[in-house]
Amino acid sequence: MADKQISLPAKLINGGIAGLIGVTCVFPIDLAKTRLQNQQNGQRMYTSMSDCLVKTIRSEGYFGMYRGAAVNLTLVTPEKAIKLAANDFFRYQLSKDGQKLTLLKEMLAGCGAGTCQVIVTTPMEMLKIQLQDAGRIAAQKKILATQAQLSTQGGAQPPAEAPAVARPTATQLARDLLQSRGLAGLYKGLGATLLRDVPFSIVYFPLFANLNQMGQPASGEKSPFYVSFLAGCVAGSAAAVAVNPCDVVKTRLQSLQRGVNEDTYSGFLDCARKILRHEGPSAFLKGAYCRALVIAPLFGIAQVVYFLGIGETLLGLLQRPQP
């Protein structure tokens, strides 16, 4: 494979640039996914992705759709870099015998990549989810306060404005979690994250490699960038939908704040049982189309940046001898 010769720094730069571009493009959809997954039956604030985004803009302004984006933009560089570089590393190690990688070996490489990335993914998701869901909790409390006032006053007078709810920053959240729960606080939901990201990588990387190979003009040549983009989109969306049930459970477990009358959970199995009992099997697909819309361009962009070799170009410019 041609990409065996790419240096590790170049892989890290490629993964980082791809992550930054991708997150900036799709973060509002990711916010809608988190809020849709967290709302439970009887406490539904939103009916769809578009309804969620419209209500978010009305209540929190345009930048309300980017609540928690700073966390992702900060940590997505190491996360994506680790994921892509780890997959390449394991693929290289598993193909040292000179034989073409079998599907099983491709899946093992993806498994290794998914396992490595949770070091960064778990605390990133933990902080991001609190910031993304804060608007939903605040809006729900405001509606309930308004209804209570109307009920008390008999609807004769307009209700007083509900007090604004303080929304902590990512730094404050991280500090509070470390002080109250130690490092384990930032890694709450680690098991659920592994159960989501390892199967995702097992599905994604082999599927992408085979789809991308189908578009190669000749053996040993790189596929055109549009083939890499489409292969990344298709593989990413397929893998995202396949592991969405685990993503729903992970999101619920990592949410520290609950709306009124919403269930609390003691672990992965307890959460899955309560979702199935109270909301039915379809609840495990909440936000699936949002997640597919997030992951498809995110990984499509990642593979285009990776295969264009932007990191190699930047390193080449930096290492060019001065005249």
Side-chain angles (χ1 to χ4, degrees):
M1 290 177 63
D3 61 357
K4 286 182 186 176
Q5 305 304 316
I6 301 174
S7 66
L8 179 60
K11 292 174 185 176
L12 298 179
I13 292 171
N14 285 332
I17 292 173
L20 291 172
I21 296 171
V23 166
T24 303
C25 294
V26 302
F27 194 82
I29 303 174
D30 187 64
L31 178 135
K33 181 221 49 139
T34 297
R35 293 188 177 184
L36 287 170
Q37 286 182 338
N38 261 335
Q39 66 180 6
Q40 300 179 22
N41 286 351
Q43 302 293 333
R44 295 186 65 187
M45 292 284 301
Y46 317 108
T47 58
S48 64
M49 179 185 74
S50 57
D51 180 57
C52 179
L53 293 177
V54 168
K55 287 179 178 175
T56 298
I57 293 172
R58 285 177 181 169
S59 61
E60 303 170 55
Y62 174 79
F63 290 106
M65 295 190 299
Y66 283 87
R67 289 277 302 170
V71 176
N72 260 35
L73 290 172
T74 302
L75 296 178
V76 75
T77 298
E79 188 223 20
K80 285 290 175 287
I82 289 171
K83 188 184 191 83
L84 293 172
N87 181 66
D88 269 6
F89 171 79
F90 287 118
R91 287 177 70 91
Y92 176 72
Q93 294 298 321
L94 291 168
S95 62
K96 276 186 172 180
D97 57 4
Q99 300 293 318
K100 181 182 177 182
L101 283 174
T102 62
L103 179 61
L104 177 60
K105 287 185 176 181
E106 288 183 334
M107 293 172 72
L108 286 172
C111 178
T115 304
C116 290
Q117 80 169 83
V118 298
I119 297 168
V120 177
T121 303
T122 305
M124 178 180 77
E125 292 274 310
M126 183 69 188
L127 296 175
K128 182 198 72 170
I129 285 171
Q130 315 317 314
L131 296 170
Q132 286 182 328
D133 204 39
R136 181 185 71 90
I137 300 294
Q140 188 186 88
K141 288 179 178 178
K142 188 174 181 180
I143 289 172
L144 291 173
T146 301
Q147 290 174 344
Q149 285 182 341
L150 284 171
S151 176
T152 302
Q153 298 170 359
Q157 300 175 9
E161 185 69 26
V165 179
R167 294 176 185 171
T169 64
T171 305
Q172 290 171 330
L173 282 169
R175 185 170 57 245
D176 291 345
L177 282 170
L178 287 171
Q179 288 176 349
S180 62
R181 309 185 187 192
L183 192 60
L186 287 175
Y187 280 88
K188 183 181 180 183
L190 174 62
T193 306
L194 277 168
L195 286 172
R196 181 197 68 172
D197 288 349
V198 171
F200 178 93
S201 295
I202 289 174
V203 173
Y204 172 77
F205 283 111
L207 183 56
F208 167 77
N210 286 280
L211 289 173
N212 191 58
Q213 191 176 37
M214 290 170 63
Q216 287 180 341
S219 180
E221 293 185 23
K222 280 187 177 181
S223 299
F225 81 93
Y226 66 86
V227 172
S228 293
F229 176 78
L230 290 174
C233 288
V234 173
S237 57
V241 173
V243 302
N244 196 75
C246 291
D247 189 55
V248 172
V249 174
K250 183 199 73 69
T251 300
R252 297 275 181 97
L253 287 174
Q254 289 187 317
S255 297
L256 297 176
Q257 299 295 321
R258 301 285 179 201
V260 179
N261 298 325
E262 289 186 346
D263 287 331
T264 56
Y265 311 107
S266 60
F268 187 92
L269 290 177
D270 178 61
C271 181
R273 274 196 299 265
K274 286 180 178 177
I275 291 173
L276 184 62
R277 185 188 311 131
H278 298 155
E279 302 171 60
S282 62
F284 289 109
L285 292 177
K286 281 185 177 180
Y289 65 97
C290 292
R291 184 160 162 76
L293 288 174
V294 168
I295 297 296
L298 194 64
F299 278 84
I301 291 167
Q303 294 299 348
V304 169
V305 171
Y306 205 63
F307 277 81
L308 286 178
I310 294 176
E312 296 89 300
T313 303
L314 291 174
L315 286 175
L317 292 173
L318 291 173
Q319 294 171 357
R320 183 179 295 172
Q322 297 296 320

